[in-house]
Short mmCIF file of all heavy atoms in Angstrom, two decimals:
data_model
loop_
_atom_site.label_atom_id
_atom_site.label_comp_id
_atom_site.label_asym_id
_atom_site.label_seq_id
_atom_site.Cartn_x
_atom_site.Cartn_y
_atom_site.Cartn_z
N ALA A 178 28.11 -12.43 12.50
CA ALA A 178 29.35 -12.39 11.72
C ALA A 178 29.63 -13.69 10.99
O ALA A 178 30.13 -13.70 9.87
CB ALA A 178 30.53 -12.05 12.64
N LEU A 179 29.30 -14.80 11.63
CA LEU A 179 29.70 -16.10 11.11
C LEU A 179 28.58 -16.86 10.42
O LEU A 179 28.79 -17.96 9.93
CB LEU A 179 30.27 -16.96 12.26
CG LEU A 179 31.44 -16.32 13.01
CD1 LEU A 179 31.88 -17.21 14.16
CD2 LEU A 179 32.62 -16.06 12.07
N GLY A 180 27.37 -16.27 10.41
CA GLY A 180 26.26 -16.95 9.77
C GLY A 180 25.93 -18.27 10.45
O GLY A 180 25.58 -19.25 9.79
N LEU A 181 26.06 -18.29 11.76
CA LEU A 181 25.76 -19.50 12.51
C LEU A 181 24.27 -19.79 12.48
O LEU A 181 23.46 -18.94 12.14
CB LEU A 181 26.21 -19.33 13.97
CG LEU A 181 27.71 -19.12 14.21
CD1 LEU A 181 27.95 -18.76 15.66
CD2 LEU A 181 28.50 -20.36 13.84
N MET A 182 23.91 -21.02 12.86
CA MET A 182 22.49 -21.32 13.04
C MET A 182 21.91 -20.27 13.97
O MET A 182 22.61 -19.74 14.83
CB MET A 182 22.33 -22.71 13.67
CG MET A 182 22.83 -23.85 12.82
SD MET A 182 22.64 -25.41 13.71
CE MET A 182 23.35 -26.53 12.52
N GLU A 183 20.65 -20.01 13.84
CA GLU A 183 20.03 -18.96 14.64
C GLU A 183 19.96 -19.40 16.10
O GLU A 183 19.01 -20.05 16.53
CB GLU A 183 18.66 -18.60 14.08
CG GLU A 183 18.78 -17.94 12.70
CD GLU A 183 17.44 -17.39 12.24
OE1 GLU A 183 16.41 -17.95 12.61
OE2 GLU A 183 17.46 -16.38 11.53
N ILE A 184 20.98 -19.02 16.85
CA ILE A 184 21.11 -19.46 18.24
C ILE A 184 20.16 -18.69 19.14
O ILE A 184 19.48 -19.26 19.98
CB ILE A 184 22.56 -19.26 18.71
CG1 ILE A 184 23.51 -20.10 17.87
CG2 ILE A 184 22.70 -19.61 20.19
CD1 ILE A 184 24.98 -19.80 18.12
N LEU A 185 20.12 -17.38 18.93
CA LEU A 185 19.39 -16.51 19.86
C LEU A 185 18.53 -15.55 19.05
O LEU A 185 18.94 -14.44 18.73
CB LEU A 185 20.39 -15.75 20.73
CG LEU A 185 19.88 -14.72 21.74
CD1 LEU A 185 18.83 -15.33 22.66
CD2 LEU A 185 21.04 -14.18 22.57
N THR A 186 17.32 -16.00 18.69
CA THR A 186 16.43 -15.15 17.89
C THR A 186 15.40 -14.48 18.79
O THR A 186 15.09 -14.97 19.89
CB THR A 186 15.69 -15.98 16.82
OG1 THR A 186 14.82 -16.90 17.49
CG2 THR A 186 16.67 -16.74 15.94
N GLU A 187 14.86 -13.38 18.30
CA GLU A 187 13.85 -12.65 19.07
C GLU A 187 12.59 -13.48 19.25
O GLU A 187 11.91 -13.39 20.29
CB GLU A 187 13.53 -11.33 18.36
CG GLU A 187 12.65 -10.40 19.18
CD GLU A 187 12.52 -9.03 18.56
OE1 GLU A 187 13.14 -8.78 17.50
OE2 GLU A 187 11.78 -8.21 19.14
N GLU A 188 12.26 -14.30 18.25
CA GLU A 188 11.06 -15.14 18.33
C GLU A 188 11.19 -16.19 19.43
O GLU A 188 10.25 -16.46 20.18
CB GLU A 188 10.82 -15.84 16.98
CG GLU A 188 10.43 -14.90 15.85
CD GLU A 188 11.60 -14.06 15.33
OE1 GLU A 188 12.75 -14.49 15.53
OE2 GLU A 188 11.35 -12.98 14.76
N GLN A 189 12.39 -16.78 19.53
CA GLN A 189 12.61 -17.83 20.54
C GLN A 189 12.79 -17.26 21.94
O GLN A 189 12.36 -17.86 22.92
CB GLN A 189 13.86 -18.63 20.18
CG GLN A 189 13.73 -19.51 18.96
CD GLN A 189 15.07 -20.11 18.59
OE1 GLN A 189 16.02 -19.38 18.26
NE2 GLN A 189 15.17 -21.42 18.64
N PHE A 190 13.47 -16.09 22.02
CA PHE A 190 13.85 -15.54 23.32
C PHE A 190 13.48 -14.05 23.42
O PHE A 190 14.35 -13.18 23.46
CB PHE A 190 15.36 -15.72 23.54
CG PHE A 190 15.81 -17.15 23.48
CD1 PHE A 190 16.44 -17.65 22.36
CD2 PHE A 190 15.61 -18.00 24.57
CE1 PHE A 190 16.86 -18.97 22.30
CE2 PHE A 190 16.02 -19.32 24.53
CZ PHE A 190 16.65 -19.81 23.39
N PRO A 191 12.18 -13.75 23.43
CA PRO A 191 11.75 -12.34 23.46
C PRO A 191 12.21 -11.59 24.72
O PRO A 191 12.54 -10.40 24.65
CB PRO A 191 10.22 -12.43 23.41
CG PRO A 191 9.89 -13.81 23.89
CD PRO A 191 11.02 -14.67 23.43
N VAL A 192 12.23 -12.26 25.86
CA VAL A 192 12.61 -11.61 27.11
C VAL A 192 14.09 -11.25 27.09
O VAL A 192 14.48 -10.13 27.46
CB VAL A 192 12.29 -12.51 28.33
CG1 VAL A 192 12.80 -11.87 29.62
CG2 VAL A 192 10.79 -12.75 28.43
N LEU A 193 14.93 -12.17 26.64
CA LEU A 193 16.36 -11.89 26.55
C LEU A 193 16.65 -10.80 25.54
O LEU A 193 17.55 -9.98 25.74
CB LEU A 193 17.15 -13.16 26.18
CG LEU A 193 17.47 -14.12 27.33
CD1 LEU A 193 18.08 -15.41 26.80
CD2 LEU A 193 18.43 -13.47 28.34
N HIS A 194 15.89 -10.76 24.46
CA HIS A 194 16.10 -9.70 23.45
C HIS A 194 15.72 -8.33 24.01
O HIS A 194 16.41 -7.34 23.73
CB HIS A 194 15.33 -10.01 22.17
CG HIS A 194 16.18 -10.70 21.14
ND1 HIS A 194 16.87 -10.02 20.18
CD2 HIS A 194 16.47 -12.01 20.97
CE1 HIS A 194 17.55 -10.88 19.42
NE2 HIS A 194 17.33 -12.10 19.89
N GLU A 195 14.65 -8.26 24.77
CA GLU A 195 14.29 -6.98 25.40
C GLU A 195 15.36 -6.55 26.39
O GLU A 195 15.73 -5.37 26.46
CB GLU A 195 12.94 -7.12 26.11
CG GLU A 195 11.76 -7.19 25.16
CD GLU A 195 10.45 -7.37 25.90
OE1 GLU A 195 10.44 -7.25 27.15
OE2 GLU A 195 9.43 -7.65 25.23
N TRP A 196 15.86 -7.50 27.17
CA TRP A 196 16.95 -7.22 28.12
C TRP A 196 18.20 -6.74 27.37
O TRP A 196 18.84 -5.77 27.78
CB TRP A 196 17.26 -8.48 28.92
CG TRP A 196 18.57 -8.44 29.65
CD1 TRP A 196 18.83 -7.89 30.87
CD2 TRP A 196 19.82 -8.96 29.19
NE1 TRP A 196 20.15 -8.04 31.21
CE2 TRP A 196 20.79 -8.70 30.18
CE3 TRP A 196 20.23 -9.63 28.02
CZ2 TRP A 196 22.12 -9.07 30.06
CZ3 TRP A 196 21.56 -10.01 27.89
CH2 TRP A 196 22.48 -9.72 28.91
N TYR A 197 18.53 -7.42 26.28
CA TYR A 197 19.70 -7.06 25.47
C TYR A 197 19.58 -5.61 24.99
O TYR A 197 20.55 -4.84 25.05
CB TYR A 197 19.82 -8.01 24.28
CG TYR A 197 20.69 -7.50 23.17
CD1 TYR A 197 22.08 -7.55 23.25
CD2 TYR A 197 20.13 -6.96 22.01
CE1 TYR A 197 22.88 -7.08 22.23
CE2 TYR A 197 20.93 -6.49 20.98
CZ TYR A 197 22.30 -6.54 21.09
OH TYR A 197 23.08 -6.06 20.08
N GLN A 198 18.39 -5.22 24.54
CA GLN A 198 18.22 -3.85 24.06
C GLN A 198 18.40 -2.84 25.17
O GLN A 198 19.02 -1.78 24.98
CB GLN A 198 16.84 -3.69 23.41
CG GLN A 198 16.73 -2.48 22.51
CD GLN A 198 17.78 -2.46 21.41
OE1 GLN A 198 17.87 -3.41 20.61
NE2 GLN A 198 18.59 -1.41 21.37
N ARG A 199 17.86 -3.15 26.36
CA ARG A 199 18.06 -2.25 27.50
C ARG A 199 19.53 -2.16 27.85
O ARG A 199 20.04 -1.09 28.21
CB ARG A 199 17.26 -2.75 28.71
CG ARG A 199 15.79 -2.40 28.67
CD ARG A 199 15.10 -2.67 29.99
NE ARG A 199 14.95 -4.09 30.25
CZ ARG A 199 13.90 -4.81 29.87
NH1 ARG A 199 12.91 -4.25 29.20
NH2 ARG A 199 13.83 -6.09 30.15
N LEU A 200 20.24 -3.27 27.77
CA LEU A 200 21.67 -3.31 28.11
C LEU A 200 22.48 -2.43 27.17
O LEU A 200 23.26 -1.59 27.61
CB LEU A 200 22.16 -4.76 28.05
CG LEU A 200 23.50 -5.07 28.72
CD1 LEU A 200 23.42 -4.89 30.23
CD2 LEU A 200 23.94 -6.50 28.39
N VAL A 201 22.29 -2.63 25.87
CA VAL A 201 23.11 -1.87 24.90
C VAL A 201 22.68 -0.41 24.81
O VAL A 201 23.43 0.41 24.29
CB VAL A 201 23.11 -2.53 23.51
CG1 VAL A 201 23.74 -3.90 23.55
CG2 VAL A 201 21.70 -2.62 22.93
N ASP A 202 21.48 -0.09 25.33
CA ASP A 202 21.05 1.30 25.37
C ASP A 202 21.57 2.03 26.61
O ASP A 202 21.52 3.26 26.67
CB ASP A 202 19.53 1.40 25.35
CG ASP A 202 18.94 1.11 23.97
OD1 ASP A 202 19.71 1.15 22.99
OD2 ASP A 202 17.73 0.83 23.89
N ASP A 203 22.06 1.27 27.59
CA ASP A 203 22.60 1.89 28.80
C ASP A 203 23.86 2.68 28.44
O ASP A 203 24.75 2.16 27.75
CB ASP A 203 22.94 0.80 29.82
CG ASP A 203 23.52 1.37 31.10
OD1 ASP A 203 22.76 1.74 32.00
OD2 ASP A 203 24.77 1.46 31.18
#
Side-chain angles (χ1 to χ4, degrees):
L179 304 177
L181 297 171
M182 296 178 182
E183 293 189 329
I184 299 171
L185 177 54
T186 66
E187 189 171 358
E188 292 73 23
Q189 290 172 298
F190 302 102
V192 175
L193 278 172
H194 265 268
E195 287 178 11
W196 165 84
Y197 162 78
Q198 198 56 57
R199 281 191 288 270
L200 196 66
V201 296
D202 285 344
D203 180 87

